[in-house]
Amino acid sequence: METGPERGITLERGLVKGPEIHSQNPARLIEKIIRERILDSPYWKEQCFGLTAATLCDRAVELTYIGGQFGQQRPTPFLCLAFKVIQLQPEKEIILEYLAAEDFKYLRALAAFYIRLTFPAADVYKLLEPLLADYHRLKLRSMNGFRLIHIDEFADMLLTEERVCNIALPRLPKRIVLEDMEELEPRESALGSELSDLEGDSDDTSEVERKNGINSKEGQ
């Protein structure tokens, strides 16, 4: 239970006024110590002040890498903007527009990260699984420096790992559990689809060969 300043306890900074997400204040999706580092960072103070859902989009397309903390545990611009989106809580349609922006891969990555943190589990799978077919390169910065990954790898991290960009992700049920609850349709893998196409091509070829054989016999 939070206590007012009259008790000598300072209220947590950065808390959000509005509906809870996952039964807690949305700001607490980011651990307090990381939240404090974000609020004290130069990028937050200089680049995030006064941002709206529209102007945040402009900031996001300027990003050149993703990541959590680097150097002396400094938050990346990506993490600062992720926290700003959490504070703003844009309408779902706006987040989906971010996600659909294929020409702006870092904006898309930011939307994917926000979706994983805040959306219901079934929506997380429905919206992030299509990114497993996106092979645009991303630069990832961590305490160990930079490395290149791809959007499909980032999406897989969001769907399978417990921490991404130094942030503990909300628990995500296994896909099969949601399928059993009829919240998700069984997923057809890209490999399965390719095999079906190959089988279809093989059947077509066999049919053509059969017809050619019949025509050949009739011509004799």
Side-chain angles (χ1 to χ4, degrees), residues 92 96 99 115 119 122-131:
K92 181 178 180 180
L96 297 184
L99 189 69
I115 287 168
F119 278 34
D123 286 345
V124 168
Y125 282 104
K126 291 174 185 176
L127 294 170
L128 298 193
E129 284 179 340
L131 300 186

Side-chain angles (χ1 to χ4, degrees), residues 12-29:
E12 290 184 46
R13 294 193 298 162
L15 295 186
V16 178
K17 294 181 180 179
E20 293 186 338
I21 296 177
H22 303 313
S23 302
Q24 64 180 331
N25 189 287
R28 292 198 174 107
L29 294 168

